[in-house]
Amino acid sequence: MFSLRLCGQRPFSKILNSSSPPRLINLQHLTRIRHPRNFESRCLQRCYAQSSKKPVSKPNLSAAEQAKQQARAAAANAGSKKYDIAERLLIYHAGTGRITFLAMVKVTTLFLGAFFTFIVVPGYIKAEKSEWEIIGVALCGLIPLFFVAYTTSPFTTQIYIHLPPAARTSRPALERFIHGALPPSTELTLTTMSAIAKPRYSTMQLGHLRPAKRRFGIVNYVRDAEGAIAENETRRWYNLRALTKFGVQEVRTDKKQKKKAKGTKIRDLTEAWIWDAVKDKIEKRAAEVAAAKSS
């Protein structure tokens, strides 16, 4: 009844006929009050109906403000631009078989050293064996561990190149950048494995890498000491030191793999031709430096 008061109408005025005697009901309007809820809702809609608001016209912007808005939109579109080539491109992969085998060897020697050091050696001490026997048993567990860690630490599993935005627009732009400019400041990320087969990432500039032959030919690339020292300064005391010696093995590509690579996307490939170009650049730069020093 509160809603009926708000309408300011008398809903039962038509039902009660003024000309008829009191308490006589007009039967023509009984059908309108069979559903009082609908009647009330319609009344409320009429009472609280609001006129539609007209859109407020915005004032015209000046030419300077329009230019600023266009510049902001262009900057936003440039920041969200999608390139055809990834920013960090894989250019070398040692092979899944090699990596898996080397990881298994590392983990096996680690468990072997722990077994001899923490189980066999205390048993020999309790049995009151001679000192030479105890030392020999301890060396049986430690020598394989240190040998595997020494010979496999330079093994490089992957190499990534960091591309500038100009070289990521298209495939021809990438080829021009690799075969043409390729400045020494181009960053490379070499991935190796720790003693527990955990990946270790070493990021350096292309100009800081030079060919070398060390550790019986296991190491074929060496990083300049200046770059390693600068990286060690940014690391915490509990972090491992930066690597300076790397062993990049040659990987053969079959003809079947080359045929399959033509139909796949560039992001899913190992761009080995880039590593070949980078390797030639490193060798030429090293030869130029050696010729300058000799002269």
Side-chain angles (χ1 to χ4, degrees):
M1 299 301 294
F2 178 73
S3 60
L4 297 178
R5 292 177 183 175
L6 289 175
C7 292
Q9 297 178 2
R10 295 181 180 179
F12 296 102
S13 60
K14 294 181 181 181
I15 299 173
L16 298 175
N17 195 353
S18 58
S19 60
S20 62
R23 297 185 180 178
L24 292 179
I25 299 175
N26 190 357
L27 299 176
Q28 296 178 358
H29 300 281
L30 284 175
T31 56
R32 296 186 181 182
I33 60 172
R34 289 180 181 178
H35 303 284
R37 295 183 179 177
N38 298 334
F39 182 78
E40 293 179 4
S41 61
R42 291 177 184 175
C43 184
L44 287 173
Q45 289 177 1
R46 289 197 300 269
C47 293
Y48 292 101
Q50 296 179 359
S51 61
S52 60
K53 295 181 179 179
K54 297 181 179 180
V56 180
S57 59
K58 296 182 180 179
N60 295 329
L61 298 176
S62 61
E65 293 179 354
Q66 291 179 359
K68 289 181 180 180
Q69 289 185 356
Q70 292 177 359
R72 291 173 184 174
N77 294 331
S80 61
K81 183 178 180 181
K82 294 182 179 179
Y83 296 95
D84 295 336
I85 302 172
E87 181 180 0
R88 196 180 71 162
L89 199 62
L90 180 65
I91 62 176
Y92 172 82
H93 193 277
T96 306
R98 290 181 180 180
I99 297 172
T100 305
F101 176 76
L102 186 61
M104 292 175 62
V105 170
K106 283 178 170 289
V107 175
T108 302
T109 53
L110 183 63
F111 281 108
L112 185 65
F115 173 75
F116 276 92
T117 304
F118 298 104
I119 296 176
V120 180
V121 171
Y124 269 62
I125 293 174
K126 289 182 180 180
E128 297 181 357
K129 299 289 184 177
S130 61
E131 295 180 358
W132 292 106
E133 292 180 357
I134 296 172
I135 294 173
V137 169
L139 292 176
C140 288
L142 296 176
I143 288 176
L145 181 62
F146 287 108
F147 177 77
V148 170
Y150 179 79
T151 55
T152 60
S153 59
F155 181 77
T156 304
T157 57
Q158 293 100 6
I159 298 178
Y160 296 89
I161 185 171
H162 299 262
L163 299 174
R168 298 168 54 197
T169 55
S170 62
R171 182 79 179 204
L174 175 63
E175 293 178 356
R176 288 194 299 268
F177 174 76
I178 296 298
H179 295 294
L182 197 62
S185 60
T186 304
E187 290 187 351
L188 299 175
T189 299
L190 282 72
T191 307
T192 56
M193 285 192 291
S194 62
I196 59 175
K198 182 181 178 181
R200 293 184 62 184
Y201 301 98
S202 302
T203 303
M204 67 200 71
Q205 294 183 359
L206 177 61
H208 294 168
L209 201 63
R210 56 188 176 85
K213 290 184 179 179
R214 298 181 184 179
R215 293 190 187 182
F216 308 102
I218 298 174
V219 176
N220 53 6
Y221 288 96
V222 177
R223 180 184 182 183
D224 290 344
E226 295 179 358
I229 292 172
E231 186 177 352
N232 288 329
E233 290 178 355
T234 59
R235 296 192 176 193
R236 301 292 181 87
W237 61 270
Y238 53 83
N239 294 128
L240 297 174
R241 300 295 91 185
L243 291 177
T244 57
K245 300 174 183 178
F246 304 93
V248 182
Q249 305 295 326
E250 293 185 0
V251 180
R252 297 179 181 178
T253 56
D254 299 334
K255 294 182 179 180
K256 294 181 180 180
Q257 294 179 355
K258 290 182 179 180
K259 291 181 180 179
K260 292 180 181 179
K262 292 181 181 179
T264 54
K265 295 181 180 180
I266 188 173
R267 294 185 180 182
D268 301 331
L269 295 178
T270 302
E271 299 292 342
W273 64 274
I274 297 179
W275 169 242
D276 294 336
V278 169
K279 184 168 55 176
D280 294 339
K281 292 280 186 181
I282 293 172
E283 292 176 355
K284 288 180 182 179
R285 191 173 290 109
E288 292 175 358
V289 171
K293 288 182 178 179
S294 60
S295 62

